[in-house]
């Protein structure tokens, strides 16, 4: 029931974002027609990206919320990366549209030596109004998204906040333009904003590609490694081959856990359950953990801090901290026993 309430809350906020995105786009488009300002046109095109992202986000939220089935054993979370890629591509196209329109206006100003701008006071007032509404929606989306751990809603909120800053900057630029009557300020603001939109589109495409290709999230791996290192049991001798795959807001974690060789299946499963509970407590219930249990060897004795062990082959030397390098890289285990063997010879 809590999950259902969470999804209803997220859907409602996303629908509200979609509705207001259309309203604000119409306001900015009317403002552009009144003032003929290139910077306002650029901001209107950026609002068009908000409409696109909100509609795609709404569809993404619905599909990603579908339960796992026979054809999708890991769920439908990957749709978020596909929708992000589409959004990034469309935003990039809009950026080039702004470029073309800006250079067309620059050529007009160059040949006619005049400005088409009018009623800037009205335009400035409307820009401030839309920026306030955008910021409120962005703040609300980030708050609900963080509470419900909904990545799509968090992304929408951040996008709206960035749109607020750009709209506010345009309004300040138009005030300066209205005072100085320097017509070149308008196209300069438009070009700067188009670069910003293009960067946003490129960043979205980059993130989407990383998600689809299951690129390693080093920050997340580092965070998990340090957390498990702090909470580790005395029976967790080693943790390696740690990998995280994202399926939208869900995480699938694979790892190898080394436990004492004399543990039976029941005792080993107990340690795996401890690891699972800790991970879910830290990263939420949408975490799926797959643990391969390894038996310790005589080479692990020098790093094992279990003082109750009665079958130790070598004395304890030092405790190894589980860092990103220690837990995630596959090459680590290949040289693990070799390095331990050298260290055992030195200590003896």
């Amino acid at each position: 029931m809590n999950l259902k309430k969470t999804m209803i809350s997220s859907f409602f906020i996303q629908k509200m974002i979609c509705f207001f995105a259309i309203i604000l786009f119409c306001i900015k488009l009317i403002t552009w027609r009144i003032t003929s300002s290139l910077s306002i046109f650029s901001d209107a095109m950026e609002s068009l990206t908000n409409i696109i992202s909100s509609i795609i986000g709404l569809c993404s939220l619905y599909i990603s919320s579908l339960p796992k089935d026979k054809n999708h054993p890991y769920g439908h979370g990957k749709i978020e990366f596909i929708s992000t890629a589409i959004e990034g591509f469309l935003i990039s196209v809009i950026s080039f549209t702004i470029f073309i329109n800006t250079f067309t206006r620059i050529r007009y100003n160059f040949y006619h030596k005049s400005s088409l701008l009018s009623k800037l006071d009205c335009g400035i007032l409307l820009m401030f109004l839309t920026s306030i509404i955008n910021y409120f929606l962005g703040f609300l989306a980030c708050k609900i998204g963080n509470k419900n751990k909904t990545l799509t809603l968090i992304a929408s909120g951040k996008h709206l906040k960035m749109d607020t800053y750009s709209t506010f900057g345009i309004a300040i630029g138009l005030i300066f333009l209205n005072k100085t009557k320097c017509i070149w300020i308008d196209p300069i603001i438009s070009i700067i904003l188009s670069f910003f939109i293009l960067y946003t589109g490129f960043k979205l495409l980059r993130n989407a590609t990383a998600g689809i290709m299951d690129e390693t999230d080093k920050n997340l791996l580092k965070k998990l490694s340090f957390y498990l290192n702090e909470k580790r049991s005395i029976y967790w001798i080693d943790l390696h081959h740690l990998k995280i795959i994202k399926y939208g807001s869900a995480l699938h974690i694979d790892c190898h856990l080394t436990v004492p060789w004399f543990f039976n299946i029941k005792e080993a499963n107990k340690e795996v359950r401890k690891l699972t509970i800790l991970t879910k407590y830290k990263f939420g219930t949408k975490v799926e953990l797959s643990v391969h249990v390894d038996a310790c060897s005589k080479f692990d004795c020098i790093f094992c801090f279990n003082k109750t062990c009665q079958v130790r082959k070598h004395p304890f030397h030092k405790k190894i901290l589980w860092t990103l390098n220690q837990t995630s890289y596959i090459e680590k285990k290949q040289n693990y026993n070799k390095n331990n063997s050298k260290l055992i010879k030195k200590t003896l």
Side-chain angles (χ1 to χ4, degrees):
M1 184 61 69
N2 289 334
L3 181 61
K4 188 176 180 181
K5 286 182 178 179
T6 296
M7 291 310 301
I8 290 173
S9 176
S10 299
F11 271 118
F12 175 76
I13 297 298
Q14 193 66 36
K15 285 179 182 178
M16 190 168 69
I17 289 172
C18 186
F19 172 76
F20 276 100
I22 295 171
I23 298 298
L24 293 177
F25 171 71
C26 292
I27 291 174
K28 290 179 180 181
L29 207 59
I30 292 170
T31 307
W32 167 62
R33 295 297 298 175
I34 292 172
T35 62
S36 297
S37 169
L38 280 172
S39 53
I40 294 177
F41 171 78
S42 301
D43 199 45
M45 290 299 100
E46 189 178 11
S47 293
L48 184 60
T49 68
N50 290 341
I51 297 175
I52 294 168
S53 62
S54 60
I55 293 173
I56 292 175
L58 200 60
C59 297
S60 175
L61 275 175
Y62 171 74
I63 296 173
S64 63
S65 67
L66 294 175
K68 299 175 183 178
D69 53 41
K70 185 172 66 175
N71 295 325
H72 304 88
Y74 293 102
H76 301 76
K78 284 283 186 181
I79 189 65
E80 291 190 11
F81 298 118
I82 298 173
S83 64
T84 302
I86 296 171
E87 182 184 342
F89 172 75
L90 293 175
I91 287 174
S92 300
V93 171
I94 289 171
S95 174
F96 285 111
T97 302
I98 296 172
F99 268 123
I100 294 170
N101 189 70
T102 300
F103 283 114
T104 301
R105 177 65 65 81
I106 289 174
R107 287 184 62 187
Y108 177 88
N109 289 341
F110 180 79
Y111 286 110
H112 294 80
K113 306 294 182 182
S114 62
S115 174
L116 299 175
L117 301 177
S118 60
K119 299 182 180 178
L120 283 180
D121 292 337
C122 178
I124 292 167
L125 182 63
L126 288 173
M127 285 293 99
F128 274 120
L129 177 64
T130 56
S131 65
I132 293 170
I133 296 172
N134 255 342
Y135 187 82
F136 173 75
L137 288 172
F139 173 80
L140 189 62
C142 285
K143 185 178 180 180
I144 301 297
N146 285 317
K147 182 181 178 181
N148 298 340
K149 296 182 179 178
T150 308
L151 297 180
T152 302
L153 202 58
I154 294 171
S156 295
K158 288 182 178 180
H159 194 107
L160 287 171
K161 283 186 175 181
M162 293 303 293
D163 186 34
T164 299
Y165 303 144
S166 61
T167 303
F168 188 79
I170 287 170
I172 297 298
L174 289 177
I175 291 173
F176 188 68
L177 169 62
N178 200 29
K179 295 294 182 182
T180 61
K181 306 302 181 183
C182 180
I183 62 172
W184 295 105
I185 293 176
D186 192 43
I188 288 172
I189 295 174
S190 179
I191 291 172
I192 292 172
L193 187 59
S194 62
F195 273 114
F196 173 76
I197 295 172
L198 183 62
Y199 172 74
T200 303
F202 173 78
K203 194 174 180 181
L204 286 172
L205 284 171
R206 174 69 183 83
N207 292 339
T209 305
I212 293 170
M213 297 291 289
D214 293 325
E215 184 178 307
T216 300
D217 189 334
K218 291 186 177 180
N219 289 329
L220 191 57
L221 277 172
K222 186 177 179 181
K223 187 177 180 181
L224 178 59
S225 297
F226 276 98
Y227 174 71
L228 292 179
N229 183 74
E230 291 177 355
K231 304 294 182 179
R232 65 192 286 186
S233 165
I234 59 172
Y235 301 117
W236 299 353
I237 298 168
D238 187 34
L239 184 74
H240 52 280
H241 292 196
L242 181 63
K243 298 184 288 292
I244 299 179
I245 302 175
K246 292 182 180 179
Y247 293 92
S249 58
L251 297 175
H252 184 85
I253 301 174
D254 291 318
C255 67
H256 288 213
L257 179 67
T258 303
V259 297
W261 63 267
F262 50 82
F263 268 20
N264 58 36
I265 295 175
K266 187 176 181 180
E267 290 171 322
N269 283 338
K270 184 180 178 181
E271 298 306 316
V272 170
R273 282 197 299 272
K274 287 181 184 177
L275 183 63
T276 303
I277 291 169
L278 277 173
T279 307
K280 286 182 178 289
Y281 177 78
K282 180 67 174 178
F283 295 96
T285 56
K286 287 189 175 182
V287 172
E288 204 172 76
L289 201 65
S290 178
V291 183
H292 175 82
V293 177
D294 291 331
C296 69
S297 67
K298 63 180 181 179
F299 300 106
D300 295 302
C301 289
I302 59 174
F303 298 131
C304 176
F305 58 96
N306 179 14
K307 297 179 181 179
T308 62
C309 181
Q310 301 297 320
V311 292
R312 182 182 292 277
K313 300 296 183 182
H314 301 285
F316 173 70
H317 178 66
K318 68 174 181 178
K319 181 180 177 180
I320 296 294
L321 295 178
W322 290 348
T323 62
L324 178 63
N325 291 337
Q326 287 289 328
T327 59
S328 63
Y329 296 133
I330 295 174
E331 304 86 35
K332 183 254 179 186
K333 196 61 183 177
Q334 295 173 350
N335 298 320
Y336 185 74
N337 290 342
K338 184 179 178 181
N339 294 335
N340 284 5
S341 179
K342 290 179 180 178
L343 187 54
I344 287 171
K345 290 178 181 178
K346 287 181 181 179
T347 55
L348 296 176

